[in-house]
Amino acid sequence: MTSGGTGRDDQQDARRRLTDAMAATMAEAGGLTAEAGRLLGEIDIALSITRTTLDDELAAQRRRLRREKEEAEAKLQADAVRRTRAVGAALRAAAEELAPGAAGAGWAARALSVPQPARAVPSAVRVGTLPGGAPALLPLIGVSGWVVGGSGAEQLIADTVLRLALSAPPESLRVSVFDPRLRGILGFTSLFRDTDPIGYPPAIQTEDGLRRLLSGLIDRIGRAAETMSTAGAADHRDLPLSQAGRLELAVLLDAPSGVTETAADDLNRIVESAAGRGVFLLIASPGYVDGPIRVGDRAQVDVDRGLVRVDAAGEIRSDSFAAVPGLSVRADPSPTPAARNNLIHARAEAIEAAAQGTMTLEAVLAEIDAGWSDRGDDGLSGIFARMPGGLGGLELRSANPPAPNALIGGAVGTGKSNLLLCLIYGLASRYSPRDVRFHLLDFKEGVEFARLAPTGDETWLPHVDSLGLESDRAYGVAVLEHLASEFDRRADAFKSAGASSLADYRALTGRDMPRLVLVADEFQVLFEPDDDVAQRAVQLIEHLARKGRAYGVHLVLASQTLSGIQALALKRDAIFGQFHNRISLRNTEHESETILGAGNLAAGDLHGRGQAVFNDDLGHLAANRIGSVVWADPAYLDRLQTELFSRAMADGFTPRRPSTFVSSAYAEWIPADDREIATVGVPISVGGTAQGFSLKRGRLGNVALIGDDLDRTRAVLSSIHASIRASDLASAQWTVIDSSGVGLDDVGPWANEAGIQRISAEEADSFLRTLTARTAVPSSRIERVIILDDPDDIASLVDSDEYPRPIEAVERFIKRSIACGMLFVIRFRSMSSYDARTAGELRDGFRTIVLTEPGSQTDLLAPGTGRMDFSGPRVVVVDRSSGRQDLLVPFDPAALPQNGIEKTEVSIPI
């Protein structure tokens, strides 16, 4: 028993020792496991720290590289801009010497606001614009003329004749026109005939008339050759003006129509001998391409013997440009008929003023010693006329007695534009821009007010707040709305300060508050037709005219006629009863009454430009005074404007760049205030900010562009691209699917950008198949922007047995694309195409719709667009979630921010 017990005890001890050993081992193993876990944790932390450090270093390196790349690109761009500006300045200086004034200026340039004759017939004339903005010129010396072919031949020749007629000295040019098809293309030259009947004879339409013209030109060349030989002159321009005579400009339209074989022989003699001898040919032959001009079966005009060949089909091409291979010359848009006629009348006015020795604005301002010491507390006084008792003009008074507004009239060519310029510059010379601000509207498509806007030298009249050029009623109403809101703001300010007048407010607060002067030329356009725009204009003008004087708001309204304006029928007396000041230049007796007042026919008895009736008592006859408006010499106005701008800067006043609106033009680029906005354009308003659609998550949706206007489509797409590139979505990749092959991406800032995937019309089908078939992966940000041009041009994308319509798979993908990190911008050429596509999966696929051709077709989608008056590039942006719609002026693609990156074709896998 003892030995058995001992054995059992030994076994128990052994088990205990084994158990203890196992426990110890397990404890040790547990400790080792814990230690291993601790070590692994430390390793994980170390790895995490290392990974974070590496990520931070990599991110910092990426940021540094991106910054260095951006700095390098900015430097390259700045250098390119400097070089371009230097070359452009040199080209412009050379162009000004060869083609001064109207011969070489852009149609909207300050030099053309009142076109001045040059000292001699120009040596060249502008036909278009070079890359960088410098004018492209063709010669008038050393050649016998031009032959112009292409679809734009007649317009180019018409513009050339207009430029020469505006720039040539008086009685230095004779324009003879052969118009065999009686189309009257150069009919506007008859407006020059009033002041120079010899220089602008009626057009010739018969073969006999052409024969006599060509015979006379041959005689002219012979006489010039003899005179030049006697004087030892190489060119008739080297002769004294008394010997040189007029330059004979012969224009042949629709050649060879009406040209006989005999006439062709005479033309060949002229082509061979006219250069430098006072005769110049302009031949318009729209069907001409190259070689001689065929006349009948046996004759021809040998162009190569002395004519410059010009192709005006699209871009301007000429053998004169052959020295620069690949040179692209963009044709300048022609002035509208109204703008052209205004230029002609302004030139006639300038010549007459110079011939009569009319007193100038420069002399008047020097005599009255105009300065900025007068703050205009009680009103404004503009001196710009010679009166029987001395100098006079217009006083806009708030009280004692009140005469806050002025009505100005005058027939065409009587000097109304000159009067308005004298008034504006006269007030600007007398009052500081702190004390007077102008809002200027030109409704007659003229260019007189263009000289007041910012120019290439970045100066402008520092008193101007807003400037509207060309007829645009919507902008006119926008300016009136702006003045009405300023009126309300001032009313609140006066109440807070306890002021009863502008002078009181200034005295009590010590703050600047300028008088606001609206000058509107041909303001009656606002009321034609009698629609909602007209009625709103009437309401605003009546409101401002009645109550504006108390708050320093003045209206100066000018017109040729106020007869028959239906919108004013019930409000004429209420409105014009607030216009104590009346000025009328020469007019009919009927229009004299509409401007001056019933029974006041005095303007019908006036003679000559510049003579006017001045009346400051609502047109009562006893208050009539007859005076002569002084002449605003354009050269002096340029000097004065620069001087006033410099004076403002020296006085501590930094002139604000005026809000300038040109009805027929795209808007100048301005970035959005919010980086999360994809901009499309600016509203028709004073100082409006860029608008478009939201890029914020939750508010962003696909975009549909509807319309066949390619220029506006490109403008909108370029603007969207520029603003997205400046937003938090800047890293998004871009794909352009040009299924119609029209080249949506060849204009604007993205035209030269690397990294954009460009899918051709042939590749579109395959690309969209692949894109649609890929697995949809949700994404929290937009990683790709896809421009799709017209789904109607894309072939079948999937098996039609799987889907009812071939494109339905793509439509389903587009509908959910935002969640997958893709923004689609799709262009539909028409409302019918959009309606057909959105009948299926895409019914709710778009949040924003941009109408590039708003009108009656879009009225159901955007109510009211069918009644809108569009006189320039306009688009309507519709937010489908809120129903809001905005009328915008799209940005000029050529003026959008450039990235300076060279364009390359790349392939980016999807």
Side-chain angles (χ1 to χ4, degrees), residues 723-736:
S723 50
I724 288 180
R725 279 293 192 233
S727 75
D728 294 335
L729 305 182
S731 61
Q733 296 177 338
W734 284 70
T735 298
V736 178

Side-chain angles (χ1 to χ4, degrees), residues 565-586:
I565 301 177
Q566 185 63 34
L568 288 175
L570 300 178
K571 293 289 185 177
R572 181 184 297 270
D573 292 341
I575 292 176
F576 296 134
Q578 309 301 319
F579 285 73
H580 294 72
N581 290 296
R582 313 285 179 92
I583 302 175
S584 182
L585 296 122
R586 187 181 73 247

Side-chain angles (χ1 to χ4, degrees), residues 128-183:
T129 304
L130 296 170
L137 308 180
L138 285 179
L140 298 176
I141 57 175
V143 296
S144 297
W146 309 343
V147 56
V148 186
S151 57
E154 293 161 350
Q155 195 58 60
L156 178 62
I157 282 185
D159 289 350
T160 299
V161 171
L162 178 61
R163 287 186 178 280
L164 288 174
L166 291 173
S167 59
E171 300 181 1
S172 65
L173 183 69
R174 177 160 37 231
V175 179
S176 301
V177 180
F178 178 54
D179 184 9
R181 294 182 178 172
L182 288 75
R183 294 198 292 149

Side-chain angles (χ1 to χ4, degrees), residues 726-798:
S727 75
D728 294 335
L729 305 182
S731 61
Q733 296 177 338
W734 284 70
T735 298
V736 178
I737 306 174
D738 192 8
S739 57
S740 65
V742 297
L744 287 179
D745 63 334
D746 61 2
V747 174
W750 60 347
N752 297 315
E753 181 175 327
I756 290 183
Q757 183 181 21
R758 293 173 170 85
I759 304 298
S760 67
E762 294 76 17
E763 300 167 327
D765 187 49
S766 174
F767 176 87
L768 284 175
R769 282 178 186 269
T770 307
L771 186 70
T772 304
R774 72 179 242 170
T775 303
V777 179
S779 175
S780 60
R781 56 174 289 122
I782 296 300
E783 299 174 353
R784 184 185 293 271
V785 180
I786 301 175
I787 310 297
L788 173 57
D789 180 29
D790 202 344
D792 286 343
D793 285 324
I794 300 174
S796 298
L797 300 174
V798 295

Side-chain angles (χ1 to χ4, degrees), residues 19-33:
T19 301
D20 291 342
M22 291 176 63
T25 301
M26 292 178 65
E28 184 178 356
L32 290 173
T33 301

